């Protein structure tokens, strides 16, 4: 008999794609997709069950369908849900608690995969350059999605202690980016002028949408318990990323970010993602040695490549590469279209 | 310790800006006329290609011709001509090549086509810009004499441990410049978390290769074979009163020794003489410092009385000596967890630097010599 996999959060792009991918695996009998709202994309052979994971009804699905693997991909920031921070917290934290309670009562369960985020490490000036999986945040995130993810991971650790027979894999994924995803950070980069924190330049690491899916597939296919940082190789500075998009940065002093941010948000000009303020100030890097050596996953995209793949999809800004190159040629007295050297 | 060789600074066969030949405006106009054979771009070069007497085309000439009608019909300021004229002024004869290099550099900076390492180190910017800004200060102002540069390993990891002084961390910047210019390596500095909390300072620090002084980062860098610089006295050293100059403070808790022992890299003691006198710290406002969350508010004979002028460091004479490396690879694997050994090694490094400081002070004689 093949496997029965339950995937949460299938209405989102990533959860849906993952469920559809897993369903094509010949070893898998059935993939059950769970979400509150019906999925926008066609899920193919995935059986969609409209259910709220905060409701004990989820336990009936897990036991009744004899699910052996649960992929919890429904821990998302408020911006990904289109709701408020408190309702996102409700779904993230309470939903996870209910789901884990149901999992604990399911005798047939063999594996739990949690899609978490590197946000759990927080971002502060006291951070080491690269976080490994066994480090804890230097400044514990007090609110927002980072706090949710941290609490969710805590509950998952508790579950792993109570059910040692279940393989528990936690994938802490770096900032998701890619041509088809729509997140707070992709919207942030798409504005004609990008607000930044004056006097700070964050180190960013990205994880391409394909690699997010790829790493989840590996975690479902192989039995590798533990936590893993998932990120593309290399680092991109925030200033560098904005320059690669050809957009002018607008540095704002840190004390003005909150006020100006909400002003711009209400004017629908620029959405400075409040969840990401710490990240966009101090930045963060995670070490991916365990991902390569223990999980055996090698991302197809480096941080730079993932960002370039995303940059393809947004219109180049006022300071685009072509314009800069043309200006350079003019200054050198070459024909504007000529290819300069160096 | 073997007597180190004195390596003179300054003359590296590279005439700096201003030291080369001066170009008169007419000469600029002349070579502008003949030096650019590209006819495709419109502008002043068409008419100026004719061999007119340079006298008529004196300094006013370029300015006249900068307002032209462009190829696309736009009337305006011809940036190309203006820049060419300015470039001639700045770079001299070889201006076209130098300008091309500068423009390519600017283009890469503008479009973000450079790479930084995982610590946020921007090697290109540091070599091309930061070091170039610091160099005149080191060569002309502080007239740094460097000794024992051969003690820095050529390609492998090492930990440079130095004394710290001078109110502002000028000694760290100068040491990294000296290492860059003489040993051709980047000194990766370890800084306190305050550095990374401050706007601009933290940004610049990461860009020039610094990272947080914590064992994780230090060991990570040393494992990667980097040359890491550490100032274990920290704020106690840099913010000590002038009366205590050249007296080493406590060397932290010996964390740097543990890092070196774990990664089995040599420790290179570095002694800096001269930095103590650049901003003589005669007072401090502890209450204000506590309020602002900084370790000290410096009062020097010129700061804050002279305002921004007080920021000009006194031109003391500097000597930087790198001592013989202290090997750590001979110890057993768990050596880093033996506190007594760590304390002893810390003291050994501290003593070496203290003695070298005394020897260098005698050698230097007067402060501003």
């Amino acid at each position: 008999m093949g496997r029965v996999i339950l995937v949460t959060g299938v209405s989102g792009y990533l959860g849906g794609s993952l469920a559809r991918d897993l369903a094509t695996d010949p070893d898998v009998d059935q993939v059950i997709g769970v979400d509150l709202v019906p999925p926008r994309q066609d899920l193919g052979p995935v059986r969609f069950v409209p259910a709220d994971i905060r409701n004990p009804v989820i336990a009936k699905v897990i036991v009744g369908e004899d699910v052996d693997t649960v992929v919890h991909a429904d821990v998302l920031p408020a911006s990904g849900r289109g709701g408020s921070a408190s309702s996102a917290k409700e779904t993230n934290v309470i939903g996870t608690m209910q789901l884990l309670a149901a999992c604990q009562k399911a005798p047939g369960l063999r594996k739990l995969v949690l899609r978490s985020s590197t946000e759990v490490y927080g971002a502060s000036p006291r951070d080491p350059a690269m976080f490994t999986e066994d480090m804890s945040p230097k400044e514990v995130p007090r609110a927002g999605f980072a706090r949710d993810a941290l609490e969710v991971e805590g509950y998952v650790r508790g579950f792993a202690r109570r059910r040692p027979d279940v393989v528990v894999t936690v994938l802490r994924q770096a900032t998701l980016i890619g041509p088809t995803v729509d997140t707070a950070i992709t919207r942030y980069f798409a504005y004609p002028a990008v607000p930044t924190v004056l006097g700070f330049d964050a180190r960013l690491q990205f994880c391409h949408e394909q690699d997010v899916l790829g790493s989840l597939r590996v975690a479902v296919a192989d039995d590798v318990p533990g936590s893993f940082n998932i990120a593309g190789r290399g680092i991109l500075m925030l200033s560098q990323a904005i320059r690669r998009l050809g957009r002018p940065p607008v540095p704002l002093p840190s004390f003005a970010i909150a006020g100006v941010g909400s002003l711009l948000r209400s004017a629908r000009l620029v959405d400075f993602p409040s969840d990401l303020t710490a990240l966009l100030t101090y930045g963060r890097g995670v070490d991916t040695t365990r991902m390569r050596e223990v999980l055996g996953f090698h991302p197809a995209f480096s941080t730079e490549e993932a960002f370039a793949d995303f940059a393809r999809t947004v219109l180049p800004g006022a300071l685009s590469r072509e314009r800069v190159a043309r200006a350079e040629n003019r200054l050198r007295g070459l024909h504007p279209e000529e290819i300069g050297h160096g | 310790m073997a007597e180190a060789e004195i390596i003179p600074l300054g003359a590296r066969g590279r005439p700096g800006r201003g030291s080369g030949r001066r170009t008169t405006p007419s000469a600029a106009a002349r070579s502008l006329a003949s030096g650019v054979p590209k006819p495709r771009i419109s502008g002043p070069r068409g008419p100026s290609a004719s061999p007119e007497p340079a006298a008529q085309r004196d300094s006013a000439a370029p300015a006249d011709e900068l307002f032209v009608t462009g190829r696309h019909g736009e009337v305006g300021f011809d940036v190309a001509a203006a820049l060419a004229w300015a470039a001639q002024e700045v770079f001299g004869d070889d201006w076209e090549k130098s300008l091309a290099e500068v423009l390519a550099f600017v283009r890469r900076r503008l479009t973000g086509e450079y790479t930084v390492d995982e610590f946020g180190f921007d090697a290109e910017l540091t070599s091309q810009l930061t070091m170039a800004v610091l160099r005149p200060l080191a060569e002309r102002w502080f007239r740094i004499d460097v000794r024992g540069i051969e003690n820095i390993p050529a390609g492998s990891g090492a930990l440079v441990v130095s004394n710290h002084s001078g109110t502002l961390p000028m000694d760290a910047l100068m040491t990294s410049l000296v290492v860059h210019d003489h040993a051709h390596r980047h000194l990766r500095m370890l800084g306190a978390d305050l550095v990374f909390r401050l706007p601009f300072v933290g940004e610049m620090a990461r860009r020039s290769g610094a990272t947080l002084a914590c064992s994780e980062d230090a060991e990570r860098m040393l494992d990667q074979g980097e040359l890491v610089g550490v100032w274990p006295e920290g704020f106690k050293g840099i913010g000590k009163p002038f009366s205590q100059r050249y007296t080493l403070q406590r060397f932290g808790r010996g964390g740097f020794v543990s890092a070196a022992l774990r990664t089995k890299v040599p420790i290179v003691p570095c002694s800096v003489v001269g930095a103590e006198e650049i901003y003589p710290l005669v007072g401090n406002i502890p209450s204000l410092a506590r309020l602002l969350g900084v370790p000290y508010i410096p009062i020097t004979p010129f700061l804050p009385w002279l305002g921004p002028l007080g920021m000009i460091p006194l031109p003391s004479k500097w000597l930087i000596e790198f001592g013989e490396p202290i090997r750590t690879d001979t110890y057993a694997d768990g050596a880093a967890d033996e506190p007594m050994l760590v304390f002893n090694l810390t003291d050994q490094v501290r003593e070496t630097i203290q003695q070298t400081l005394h020897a260098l002070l005698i050698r230097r004689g007067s402060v501003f010599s």
Side-chain angles (χ1 to χ4, degrees):
Chain A
M1 193 188 114
R3 300 172 63 178
V4 179
I5 302 175
L6 181 129
V7 181
T8 62
V10 289
S11 294
Y13 168 76
L14 275 171
S17 306
L18 176 73
R20 216 177 36 213
D21 270 14
L22 292 172
T24 57
D25 189 335
D27 291 342
V28 175
D29 263 4
Q30 172 132 60
V31 176
I32 303 164
V34 179
D35 211 322
L36 262 176
V37 288
R40 273 162 292 179
Q41 55 180 334
D42 176 30
L43 291 184
V46 176
R47 213 182 99 205
F48 177 70
V49 177
D52 187 348
I53 55 170
R54 286 170 293 173
N55 192 308
V57 88
I58 196 80
K60 291 203 183 76
V61 179
I62 293 177
V63 178
E65 302 287 338
D66 202 18
V67 169
D68 61 79
T69 302
V70 169
V71 181
H72 188 23
D74 201 14
V75 183
L76 300 171
S79 55
R81 294 188 190 279
S84 68
S86 59
S87 77
K89 184 175 196 74
E90 185 81 1
T91 316
N92 288 339
V93 180
I94 309 300
T96 302
M97 288 177 76
Q98 283 289 351
L99 182 71
L100 292 176
C103 287
Q104 198 169 333
K105 291 279 180 204
L109 188 75
R110 279 188 45 248
K111 182 184 280 190
L112 174 74
V113 178
L114 171 70
R115 181 181 163 221
S116 181
S117 159
T118 53
E119 285 288 314
V120 295
Y121 297 114
S124 85
R126 290 163 57 224
D127 287 351
M130 301 302 261
F131 278 101
T132 57
E133 286 83 352
D134 45 10
M135 291 181 192
S136 45
K138 292 286 173 185
E139 265 166 41
V140 178
R142 274 190 299 255
F145 172 64
R147 180 79 209 184
D148 292 2
L150 202 63
E151 286 179 8
V152 163
E153 280 205 13
Y155 288 122
V156 168
R157 264 195 302 278
F159 170 80
R161 268 197 305 276
R162 290 190 294 273
R163 280 288 300 267
D165 58 312
V166 175
V167 175
V168 177
T169 308
V170 176
L171 302 184
R172 293 177 183 151
Q173 290 166 341
T175 313
L176 165 70
I177 209 155
T180 44
V181 290
D182 176 26
T183 64
I185 200 118
T186 60
R187 286 197 290 275
Y188 165 76
F189 278 124
Y191 283 105
V194 185
T196 60
V197 185
L198 181 70
F200 290 95
D201 198 4
R203 290 172 309 128
L204 301 177
Q205 250 177 341
F206 293 114
C207 191
H208 193 271
E209 53 192 62
Q210 297 299 328
D211 290 325
V212 166
L213 291 175
S215 59
L216 283 166
R217 273 199 300 269
V218 170
V220 169
D222 304 336
D223 285 350
V224 272
S227 303
F228 300 93
N229 295 332
I230 309 291
R233 196 185 285 277
I235 285 276
L236 211 54
M237 304 303 288
L238 176 60
S239 61
Q240 204 181 359
I242 295 172
R243 285 172 191 179
R244 287 188 184 198
L245 291 173
R247 281 171 164 61
V250 185
L252 303 171
S254 55
F255 57 83
I257 285 287
V260 176
S262 63
L263 198 74
L264 294 175
R265 205 164 20 246
S266 55
R268 294 185 182 279
L269 282 175
V270 169
D271 185 10
F272 195 86
S274 54
D275 262 357
L276 299 171
T277 311
L279 175 68
L280 295 179
T281 308
Y282 301 111
R284 182 194 312 121
V286 294
D287 180 278
T288 53
T289 314
R290 256 173 76 79
M291 171 190 81
R292 287 166 213 281
E293 287 172 7
V294 183
L295 186 65
F297 176 69
H298 299 272
F301 291 82
S302 69
T303 286
E304 271 185 66
E305 289 161 354
F307 192 77
D309 199 33
F310 157 71
R312 275 192 306 115
T313 61
V314 295
L315 287 172
L319 299 168
S320 69
R321 232 180 104 187
E322 288 68 31
R323 281 203 194 167
V324 173
R326 218 177 297 145
E328 182 197 3
N329 281 348
R330 279 190 71 112
L331 291 176
R332 287 178 58 185
L334 301 176
H335 188 263
E337 307 304 327
E338 226 169 304
I339 306 296
H341 316 282
Chain B
M1 195 190 298
E3 193 70 319
E5 191 192 352
I6 300 179
I7 299 163
L9 269 162
R12 299 198 300 136
R14 208 170 29 77
R17 161 181 176 184
S19 65
R21 50 171 284 258
R22 297 287 311 143
T23 337
T24 60
S26 59
R30 219 180 301 125
S31 55
L32 181 70
S34 55
V36 191
K38 308 276 188 318
R40 277 209 264 176
I41 191 160
S42 67
R45 289 174 203 124
S48 60
S50 57
E52 283 180 75
Q56 286 175 20
R57 317 184 39 79
D58 222 312
S59 55
D64 283 347
E65 293 179 353
L66 299 180
F67 294 90
V68 292
T69 306
R71 196 164 59 101
H72 304 292
E74 76 274 22
V75 180
F77 186 69
D78 190 330
V79 191
L83 259 287
W85 179 65
Q88 174 74 40
E89 285 292 291
V90 176
F91 299 110
D93 269 349
D94 207 12
W95 70 275
E96 213 175 351
K97 192 164 160 285
S98 316
L99 181 66
E101 281 167 12
V102 169
L103 285 176
F105 174 72
V106 171
R107 188 218 333 122
R108 284 197 301 276
R109 302 310 304 181
L110 279 178
T111 54
E113 283 161 17
Y114 47 89
T115 49
V116 296
D117 79 354
E118 60 184 33
F119 299 95
F121 173 47
D122 193 333
E124 186 189 51
L125 190 75
T126 304
S127 295
Q128 308 256 343
L129 212 65
T130 317
M131 293 301 169
V133 170
L134 294 177
R135 200 165 285 125
L137 200 60
E139 296 180 354
R140 305 262 158 80
W141 197 255
F142 298 132
R143 298 147 287 142
I144 303 179
D145 277 350
V146 185
R147 298 151 55 92
I149 198 78
E150 69 281 356
N151 287 324
I152 290 178
S156 54
L159 186 64
V160 175
V161 180
S162 175
N163 61 318
H164 210 9
S165 59
T167 306
L168 294 178
M170 194 67 84
D171 52 351
L173 297 177
M174 288 300 134
T175 308
S176 78
L177 174 79
V178 157
V179 167
H180 177 265
D181 282 3
H182 295 269
H184 310 293
R185 293 197 67 178
H186 289 291
L187 184 68
R188 308 297 300 269
M189 298 168 276
L190 299 182
D193 59 345
L194 176 71
V195 170
F196 300 98
R197 190 165 17 223
L198 294 173
F200 304 106
V201 179
E203 186 184 353
M204 272 315 296
R206 278 230 175 267
R207 223 170 252 177
S208 26
T211 193
L212 185 72
C214 61
S215 56
E216 293 94 342
D217 282 12
E219 284 165 31
R220 197 176 176 88
M221 273 189 175
L222 290 170
D223 272 333
Q224 292 174 4
E226 297 285 356
L227 183 69
V228 178
V230 67
W231 289 262
E233 290 173 277
F235 292 116
K236 292 189 301 298
I238 191 172
K240 66 178 176 292
F242 188 60
S243 56
Q244 290 177 30
R245 59 191 177 278
Y246 300 113
T247 314
L248 289 185
Q249 307 295 302
R250 180 164 60 82
F251 258 30
R253 296 173 213 174
F256 69 95
V257 169
S258 308
L261 280 170
R262 280 205 195 91
T263 51
K264 299 193 179 298
V265 299
I267 297 173
V268 181
C270 169
S271 316
V272 179
V273 159
E276 295 274 17
E277 293 92 3
I278 56 171
Y279 302 110
L281 191 88
V282 292
N284 184 11
I285 316 172
S287 49
L288 183 61
R290 258 199 305 278
L291 195 71
L292 294 176
V294 293
Y296 53 88
I297 299 281
I299 294 180
T300 75
F302 310 104
L303 206 69
W305 326 117
L306 294 186
L309 278 181
M311 290 298 289
I312 300 173
L314 293 181
S316 54
K317 167 77 180 170
W318 284 39
L319 302 167
I320 296 181
E321 178 169 327
F322 298 96
E324 263 180 55
I326 299 166
R327 285 180 62 179
T328 59
D329 54 349
T330 50
Y331 296 98
D333 267 348
D337 301 319
E338 270 181 58
M340 195 50 81
L341 175 70
V342 172
F343 284 140
N344 287 343
L345 264 176
T346 310
D347 278 348
Q348 186 191 339
V349 176
R350 193 172 174 274
E351 272 311 301
T352 310
I353 294 175
Q354 183 71 74
Q355 279 168 20
T356 315
L357 282 178
H358 288 317
L360 287 176
L361 275 172
I362 292 167
R363 194 182 181 89
R364 182 177 67 160
S366 118
V367 172
F368 300 107
S369 63

